[in-house]
Amino acid sequence: NRKRRSSMLSIVVPVYNEEAALPGFLSMIDAAAPDCEVVFADGGSTDATRALLAGRRVVEGAKGRGAQIRAGIAQAAGDAVLVLHADARIDRAGICAVRRALDAGAPWGCMTMRFDDGALVYRAGAWVSNMRVTLWGIAFGDQAMFVQRAVLDAVGGVPDLPLMEDYELSRRLRAQVGRPCHLKEPVLTSARRFQQGGPYRQA
């Protein structure tokens, strides 16, 4: 029997004024995914983001997470895509788990989210997010969504929405190909947006 070729995985990272998060992210992604294509989709950063990304693959486009992710995917060569936020942290084992799932035929999926703040409100929020995947088959962007390129194309790509593009994409994928593959491996998500805006007010 011929061994199935592993999917080429492209990682797309939407960024906008991420100078605080990028140094840690770049160190992490270089260690976790040295053999993956990484495309940064910048929405017109005005801080040091572009300087920090010097020498990296960067696509410029209009600000808005949906539009930025679409622009990044349009320039990506992989037959599978993993979308990561710049404040996310994933390790080599997580990347390998994503690849195994895709190579086994999973059309799409996500990882198990944890916050980098251990306060009860954030642990509860992560639990709710992970249960939403289990019960309703809806994943959000901070859960490290991954998808086969052919499947993404079949549902019209990432919706060109400034916010909630992840919810709409999940809804389309669930309707057309079924529930996501929910990996046990964690993606560590920064609680900074919730800390700045309040954990109950952050969309």
Side-chain angles (χ1 to χ4, degrees):
N1 292 335
R2 294 180 61 186
K3 186 177 180 180
R4 181 173 175 176
R5 180 182 69 86
S6 294
S7 298
M8 178 181 172
L9 181 63
S10 293
I11 300 172
V12 174
V13 187
V15 293
Y16 178 75
N17 290 348
E18 293 288 0
E19 65 180 6
L22 272 177
F25 181 89
L26 295 175
S27 296
M28 176 277 297
I29 205 67
D30 288 345
D35 51 353
C36 292
E37 176 188 48
V38 183
V39 180
F40 294 88
D42 182 52
S45 294
T46 57
D47 65 356
T49 291
R50 291 304 300 269
L52 289 167
L53 293 177
R56 306 269 179 172
R57 183 85 180 277
V58 180
V59 176
E60 293 186 71
K63 182 184 175 185
R65 210 160 53 201
Q68 287 174 236
I69 296 171
R70 283 182 71 94
I73 290 173
Q75 296 300 315
D79 44 17
V81 176
L82 168 66
V83 178
L84 280 181
H85 293 174
D87 58 3
R89 298 294 180 265
I90 187 173
D91 60 16
R92 182 69 174 165
I95 293 290
C96 290
V98 169
R99 284 187 138 152
R100 283 196 303 271
L102 291 164
D103 290 344
W108 74 294
C110 69
M111 304 183 75
T112 293
M113 188 186 78
R114 294 178 185 168
F115 279 111
D116 62 1
D117 187 316
L120 178 60
V121 65
Y122 299 114
R123 295 203 307 273
W127 183 85
V128 169
S129 290
N130 292 318
M131 286 302 295
R132 184 179 60 242
V133 178
T134 301
L135 296 177
W136 294 290
I138 296 292
F140 282 0
D142 51 13
Q143 291 170 287
M145 292 176 66
F146 57 89
V147 60
Q148 302 277 3
R149 185 67 167 266
V151 171
L152 184 61
D153 291 344
V155 300
V158 175
D160 188 0
L161 299 171
L163 292 172
M164 299 300 288
E165 82 295 334
D166 42 11
Y167 170 80
E168 178 60 21
L169 177 59
S170 286
R171 192 186 65 80
R172 295 179 189 179
L173 288 166
R174 184 188 61 185
Q176 296 199 34
V177 298
R179 290 172 176 267
C181 171
H182 192 187
L183 300 179
K184 69 180 186 302
E185 285 77 9
V187 55
L188 192 67
T189 298
S190 174
R192 61 176 181 157
R193 291 173 294 123
F194 299 85
Q195 291 163 343
Q196 292 166 358
Y200 305 108
R201 289 186 291 153
Q202 181 65 42

